[in-house]
Amino acid sequence: MSNVRSDKPFVLAGRTFESRLLVGTGKYIDMEQTRLAIEASGAEIVTVAVRRTNLGQNPGEPNLLDVLPPDRYTILPNTAGCFDATEAVRTCRLSRELLDGRNLVKLEVLADQKTLFPNVIETLKAAEILVKDGFDVMVYTSDDPIIARQLAEIGCIAIMPLAGLIGSGLGICNPYNLQIILEETKVPVLVDAGVGTASDATIAMELGCEAVLMNSAIAHARQPVMMAEAMKHAVIAGRLAYLAGRMPRKLYASASSPLDGLIK
């Protein structure tokens, strides 16, 4: 069939990953729950808030890298808690020092403490500086297709539009904007923020996203380790459904065999 989709590898910064689920490392009750949930998720990429997490910059304190070793996981430092481009760029440069020169970062520049909505003006400024400085920038942004296109043109390696506000669990609030971003953006598109349960992750993948990133949906579940496993399967199911192609929507069912000509 000419309309059959064939899968392609999930590639970021020249590396291929099997799992299309990326997970955060915050909000768990302790390091052990963090370790168990991330193992259950099957994720290979874990994102870490450099401003809030000890990666070795605070000697004598628990180090996240002791339970999530960089030889097993790809550590994706993020700029959570930054509210302007200057802060975000400084945080990325610090992360590069802490992680032996690794350039892969997740850029997020927030507008305010209440909504955690992205400040797209400062995000664009920071992205331009970081790309010129040799960083591989994955960028959290609004679901505005024009901003997404501009970030891709600057040279960001992945666009990460929100599905809903960070930590809201509202799911995909505007699938139509997300579809436009997916159609027009030539770099990987990953849903970031707003996922609340497994069905949200599946829908994101069914729309054609390359991957999904989440933290609160797992860490704030009643059983985080169990939810992590659910999300693992949800992302796989959504990707398979996208590749398979859903049946057409119809108001009424059609008989599988014609009724004309049957003996009365």
Side-chain angles (χ1 to χ4, degrees), residues 45 111 122 134 136 147 151 165 184 206 230 239:
I45 302 174
E122 292 295 307
D136 297 314
I147 297 298
L151 288 165
L165 294 180
E184 295 192 352
E206 287 177 348
R239 184 67 179 179

Side-chain angles (χ1 to χ4, degrees), residues 2-200:
S2 60
N3 62 346
V4 172
R5 296 185 177 112
S6 58
D7 207 358
K8 58 182 181 179
F10 176 39
V11 179
L12 290 171
R15 288 191 58 190
T16 300
F17 297 92
E18 295 294 326
S19 174
R20 293 177 183 267
L21 175 60
L22 290 70
V23 293
T25 54
K27 306 177 183 179
Y28 295 97
I29 61 172
D30 55 28
M31 289 281 198
E32 180 63 8
Q33 188 182 72
T34 304
R35 182 185 69 80
L36 291 172
I38 290 173
E39 282 184 359
S41 75
E44 298 167 273
I45 302 174
V46 295
T47 185
V48 177
V50 177
R51 290 166 63 93
R52 300 170 183 162
T53 307
N54 182 28
L55 298 178
Q57 69 269 39
N58 300 320
E61 296 181 11
N63 186 335
L64 185 69
L65 301 185
D66 291 337
V67 295
L68 300 175
D71 60 349
R72 178 174 178 183
Y73 297 99
T74 294
I75 306 298
L76 175 61
N78 69 57
T79 60
C82 293
F83 291 87
D84 60 51
T86 301
E87 275 189 306
V89 170
R90 186 186 305 120
T91 301
C92 287
R93 288 171 175 163
L94 172 61
S95 75
R96 183 157 62 181
E97 291 178 16
L98 293 171
L99 295 171
D100 301 322
R102 298 184 191 185
N103 289 318
L104 184 64
V105 293
K106 180 195 168 192
L107 171 64
E108 52 182 276
V109 185
L110 306 177
D112 59 68
Q113 289 278 7
K114 181 178 180 181
T115 67
L116 303 182
F117 204 79
N119 182 328
V120 294
I121 295 172
E122 292 295 307
T123 298
L124 287 163
K125 288 180 186 176
E128 191 162 8
I129 294 168
L130 290 169
V131 168
K132 287 179 180 177
D133 199 16
F135 284 92
D136 297 314
V137 181
M138 303 172 66
V139 58
Y140 166 66
T141 184
S142 67
D143 60 1
D144 182 335
I146 307 305
I147 297 298
R149 185 170 66 203
Q150 290 177 328
L151 288 165
E153 289 171 351
I154 284 171
C156 295
I157 66 163
I159 307 302
M160 306 176 75
L162 52 79
L165 294 180
I166 290 175
S168 68
L170 290 172
I172 298 175
C173 297
N174 193 342
Y176 305 106
N177 275 24
L178 187 54
Q179 284 182 303
I180 295 171
I181 292 171
L182 285 163
E183 288 176 8
E184 295 192 352
T185 304
K186 305 304 180 186
V187 298
V189 175
L190 292 72
V191 152
D192 180 12
V195 170
T197 191
S199 57
D200 300 330

